[in-house]
């Protein structure tokens, strides 16, 4: 393949990609994906907070049991 052929194919792919990005369906799909990602982030943060609270409770209980055993 020549350099000119590669350029033409690249330019054609660029035009197709540009036109695809401008469609309302593509924008809606991207918004949906971003929304799902943000929800996943929020769910992960809530889970991490829950795990942290559980670990703090376990540590406090262990400390209390150690002090009560003395």
């Amino acid at each position: 393949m020549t350099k000119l052929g590669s350029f033409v194919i690249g330019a054609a792919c660029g035009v197709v990609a540009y036109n695809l990005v401008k469609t309302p369906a593509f924008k809606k799909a991207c918004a949906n994906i971003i929304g799902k990602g943000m929800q996943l982030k929020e769910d992960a943060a809530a889970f991490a907070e829950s795990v942290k609270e559980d670990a703090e409770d376990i540590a406090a209980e262990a400390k209390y049991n150690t002090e009560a055993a003395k």
Side-chain angles (χ1 to χ4, degrees):
M1 180 175 292
T2 65
K3 289 182 182 182
L4 179 62
S6 296
F7 175 76
V8 170
I9 290 172
C13 289
V15 168
V16 169
Y18 177 78
N19 288 327
L20 175 67
V21 169
K22 292 295 182 182
T23 62
F26 183 81
K27 290 179 181 180
K28 184 177 179 181
C30 287
N32 190 21
I33 291 169
I34 291 171
K36 298 280 184 183
M38 291 174 71
Q39 182 63 44
L40 181 62
K41 177 188 169 205
E42 291 172 6
D43 291 346
F47 177 74
E49 185 65 29
S50 173
V51 170
K52 180 182 172 187
E53 289 173 0
D54 290 345
E56 289 171 349
D57 290 345
I58 291 169
E61 187 175 343
K63 183 178 179 181
Y64 173 77
N65 290 340
T66 301
E67 291 174 358
K70 289 182 183 181

